[in-house]
Amino acid sequence: MDDLEKAILISFDESGAVDSALKAQAVGYCQQIKETPSICSICIERLCFSKLVQVQFWCLQCLHEVLRVRYSSMGPEEKSFIRKSVFSLACYESIDDKNLVRVLDGPAFIKNKLAQVMVTLICFEYPMIWPSVFVDFLSNLSKGVVVIDMFCRVLNALDEEVISLDYPRSQEEVAIAGQIKDAMRQQCISQVVRAWYDILLMYRNSDPDLCCSVLDSMRRYVSWIDIGLIANDAFVGLLFELMLVSGFPDQLRGAAAGCIHAVAAKRMDPKAKLTLLQSLQIRKVFGLVAEDNDSELVSSVSSLLTGYSTEVLECSKRLNSEDGKAVSTELLNEVLPSVFYVMQNCEIDETFSIVQFLSGYVGTLKSLAPLTETQSLHVGQILDVIRSQIRFDPAYRNNLDMLDKTGKEEEDRMAEFRKDLFVLLRSVGRVAPDATQLFIRNSLASAVASNGDVNVEEIEAALSLLYAFGESLSDETMKTGNGLLGELIPMLLSTKFPCHNNRLVALIYLETVTRYMKFFQENTQYIPLVLSAFLDERGIHHPNRNVSRRASYLFMRIVKLLKAKLVPYIETILQSLQDTVAQFTTIYAVSKELSGCEDGSHIFEAIGLLIGMEDVPLEKQSEYLTALLTPLCQQVEALLLNAKAQNPEESPAKITNIQQIIMAINALSKGFSERLVTASRPAIGLMFKQTLDVLLRILIIYPKIEPLRCKVTSFIHRMVDILGSSVFPYLPKALEQLLAESEPKELAGFLLLLNQLICKFNTGVQDILEEVYPAIASRVFNILPRDAFPTGPGSNTEEIRELQELQRTFYTFLHVIATHDLSSVFLSSKSRAYLDPMMQLIVHASCNHKDILVRKACVQIFIRLIKDWCVSPYGEEKVPGFRSFVMEAFATNCCLYSVLDKSFEFRDANTLVLFGEIVLVQKVMFEKFGNDFLVHFVSKSLQSAHCPQDLAEQYCQKLQQGSDIKALKSFYQSLIENLRRQQNGSLVFR
């Protein structure tokens, strides 16, 4: 063994026994050899003498790479040597008398690599330099199995590397493929097909694996060769014989089915195609699908039947003649029963293709009215197929009920799998609505009558069909309950399935009832049944926590929809929910499973929606609300009692309890409107104020517990919504506590609360704002970095994301202040110290911030401040130095330099909106600053950007003439684009 062979063996070693330095040295040595001019000769010599497969593979890989890279620079003699040598290897010949090794005796991966080298040569040399390659190969097939196998590998590699359109190809590759196919069609393809036929005839009984290889090659080539070479009595007869004789291995029979499938899929004129499909006599294979439901053969035959059906359907769509339509219909009627059988009885990979075909078939029925008896039969069979396919496998029943990891995976898989089937169901529902409703009714009736424990999956499927069917119904149909709906929905409501304790059945039952809620709006006599379904053990009182949680949410949605119609049932509902509500009125009732989640809040929201209506008498409303709020507030007070001296281990449980209570009260308040609690029934408002008073104490007792601060902030948001200005007396204490020791995330939440107050009350919150703004500005300017946020690896931390969010919220806060006539807040005696850093921040963001919407907001802030603080061109300055700051810092940097930057992309919609604001602010500056602005902007800013004099003059004229904003925007964009083109490098654009 010489050094090269040793180096190759070391470089391929994966055992870990070889030292990494030695391995690197070996790889380097191999690379060095690869770069020598005589590398092709070295490789071919090794291929003749080395029996080591690693060496053979390395040499073939090396030849492949060298041919691809250096072929055009090789001389004629070297090319000839490589051609003859590689061809000899592929044909099991000796390169010379000393040739001791035959590469074709090696493993499959070596032969595949040799085929790849052959294909590379074919790409460069066929047909111009080496026109006889295929004919020469054919003459060597008589040597037997080993050469025939190699010939198949070469054909397959040619398809994969060059011809097949299943892979993306460059234009050059497409041109080479076209050249090769044209030459093969003209010169040798009929001989290749004849060879395939002879090989199959000769080896079908003795070497099925070889026949499979031949059929695989043939299947690939059918799409572009003359179809008459294959689609004839002799060849099709042979293929059907290979498929139908039970003595042949399944793999061979399946490969023959693949070839027939390729013939059926051949792209042709629809009329000729239909004749071809008719000639295939596909009925011969129908019996094969019943042989062994999950065999490889059944999968191949299923694929053939699906492909054949799809092609017939396509012909039917493209042919206009009555004869063509009749033949297509006849062929489809013949094949469809087998397709349905496959879907319902066989384990196959073709389900998606079959569903796509069935969807296409149902689509063609839309224009046919009425359906024929056969078509109606097919529609019924399609519905049967859908039902059988959407059933869960009983093997997963326990996993799905407990929803463990396996159950979750199966549920997700099935949800994805069902999507296309439910689309198909809706299509069938539109084509044959009566038949579909009858089918769903019978499925549901069968499920109702069945043994629930045995047929959990059947019941779940029947309910899922009814649920999915609802998606295709119009609101009108849903309300009136036309057809069988009027029978179906009451049947659903009055049923308690024996397997209702199963999670999947319970969930789909509740979802289905909710889906048909519009029916109950019109048919109110069924409301008691609806309430029972949600309030008994089928819903909120279901033993499975997942089901009861979902039932709570769906019940809240139902209450929203039926609302006023539920007033007569309020007492009944509240009585049924007593135990659920009690979970929140008993200290430490919150279980570990519930901790931190909000499933209870949906019940309180539903109750709030019910008792918060004006239809409920004031006395009753007060009674209901007191019964809920009093124990909840008492529980909070009890939890806060001696909180600072409590056992640290008890604290997390108490905090969780308090969180749950705040969420419950918050949800409850959503049912009450501002008009009701402040105007028509102030006594109700007083109850919420007292509650707010209790909950604000949480901030004093637990000042640093972030989840509690967030929940209390959320409650204050709600109270602002419903209590209106009467919430003001509570705000100073609340805001003071929330602002104290707040982290960036909490501070951002605090600013959102202030934004809500400003948007709701405008200048009404001026005093409050003047009090808190200095503290906010101080915190923000201390927390936010003075320069840009870091970028690159390690910069996307939670801490940096929170700071970025705080910065964005702060810009919004400043924008809200400026645009709600509150800019005087910035000028109060306590706030003056923060005016300069604020201005610097806004200028920098208006020019550089990555978020275009933030930049737009900052420009809009300047527009409002200029309008508020600059009375007239020559009036007294309200804010000394502001005018010159705007012209020197803002106008030049934002209105000129930032838009000259190439990163300012005019084709982006948001950027164009920002540009509109930048143009508008110039108009505002001219109105407020007069000629001072023009002199500064034109003589200093535009001049520094080398703006031509004529353009500068036109700019002045446009502003002075008071051009409309659209015309000014158009002119200024052309000016900027002109300056970009003229840029000479002396001005550095950021």
Side-chain angles (χ1 to χ4, degrees), residues 943-954:
Q943 194 173 358
S944 70
H946 309 287
C947 177
Q949 187 63 33
D950 61 324
L951 283 178
E953 288 172 4
Q954 284 182 56

Side-chain angles (χ1 to χ4, degrees), residues 856-877:
K856 183 186 80 170
C858 290
V859 175
Q860 288 173 335
I861 292 170
F862 270 106
I863 292 172
R864 287 305 299 252
L865 295 184
I866 293 165
K867 286 181 177 179
D868 288 355
W869 295 350
C870 303
V871 183
S872 67
Y874 309 106
E876 185 183 340
E877 281 199 279

Side-chain angles (χ1 to χ4, degrees), residues 708-724:
L708 288 180
R709 289 166 69 96
C710 288
K711 293 290 182 284
V712 173
T713 303
S714 177
F715 185 64
I716 296 169
H717 275 289
R718 281 291 316 139
M719 292 303 99
V720 170
D721 271 346
I722 68 167
L723 293 175

Side-chain angles (χ1 to χ4, degrees), residues 358 385 549 596 690 717 833 866 872 921:
L358 292 177
V385 164
R549 191 178 303 173
Q690 290 165 345
H717 275 289
I866 293 165
S872 67
V921 79

Side-chain angles (χ1 to χ4, degrees), residues 497-678:
F497 296 105
C499 60
H500 228 118
N501 62 327
N502 180 276
R503 186 185 69 88
L504 279 181
V505 171
L507 284 174
I508 191 61
Y509 180 85
L510 294 170
E511 297 284 355
T512 306
V513 172
T514 309
R515 162 58 54 85
Y516 290 94
M517 201 44 58
K518 287 189 175 68
F519 176 78
F520 308 120
Q521 282 181 301
E522 298 295 316
N523 300 274
T524 52
Q525 69 271 29
Y526 295 112
I527 285 178
L529 288 175
V530 175
L531 293 175
S532 293
F534 278 92
L535 296 172
D536 65 21
E537 67 284 352
R538 287 173 289 175
I540 290 165
H541 290 96
H542 195 281
N544 185 302
R545 177 65 62 188
N546 286 313
V547 176
S548 61
R549 191 178 303 173
R550 184 66 181 165
S552 300
Y553 168 72
L554 293 174
F555 181 65
M556 180 267 293
R557 279 179 50 194
I558 284 168
V559 169
K560 269 186 181 175
L561 199 67
L562 297 177
K563 221 170 173 185
K565 293 181 171 68
L566 296 178
V567 172
Y569 307 99
I570 289 178
E571 294 276 3
T572 310
I573 293 168
L574 292 179
Q575 213 167 350
S576 297
L577 293 175
Q578 256 182 339
D579 57 340
T580 309
V581 169
Q583 291 178 4
F584 289 79
T585 54
T586 309
I587 292 182
Y588 305 133
V590 181
S591 71
K592 288 182 181 177
E593 190 181 350
L594 283 177
S595 62
C597 73
E598 300 191 18
D599 61 303
S601 64
H602 295 309
I603 285 297
F604 279 87
E605 186 171 349
I607 293 171
L609 289 164
L610 283 170
I611 67 174
M613 290 185 282
E614 294 206 25
D615 304 83
V616 179
L618 173 60
E619 299 76 21
K620 278 289 180 189
Q621 199 169 51
S622 299
E623 181 190 324
Y624 295 147
L625 194 56
T626 303
L628 289 157
L629 287 180
T630 302
L632 288 171
C633 289
Q634 285 172 349
Q635 191 181 347
V636 171
E637 288 172 328
L639 288 163
L640 294 178
L641 203 63
N642 303 320
K644 292 183 179 176
Q646 69 197 210
N647 183 339
E649 289 177 8
E650 288 180 9
S651 193
K654 288 190 175 185
I655 288 166
T656 301
N657 241 111
I658 295 170
Q659 270 183 263
Q660 287 286 100
I661 293 165
I662 301 170
M663 289 189 297
I665 298 172
N666 201 356
L668 186 68
S669 71
K670 289 179 184 177
F672 294 82
S673 68
E674 182 178 353
R675 196 177 70 80
L676 183 135
V677 303
T678 59

Side-chain angles (χ1 to χ4, degrees), residues 389-407:
Q389 289 297 308
I390 66 168
R391 278 195 200 120
F392 280 94
D393 186 337
Y396 294 104
R397 187 181 295 177
N398 290 334
N399 305 97
L400 287 160
D401 198 32
M402 295 183 293
L403 203 61
D404 57 17
K405 184 172 181 288
T406 304

Side-chain angles (χ1 to χ4, degrees), residues 289 298 301-303 305-306 337-348 350 354 389:
V289 292
V298 169
V301 174
S302 302
S303 182
L305 292 173
T306 309
S338 293
V339 173
F340 297 138
Y341 179 86
V342 164
M343 277 290 274
Q344 289 182 284
N345 298 285
C346 306
E347 292 288 328
I348 53 164
E350 290 301 310
I354 295 178
Q389 289 297 308

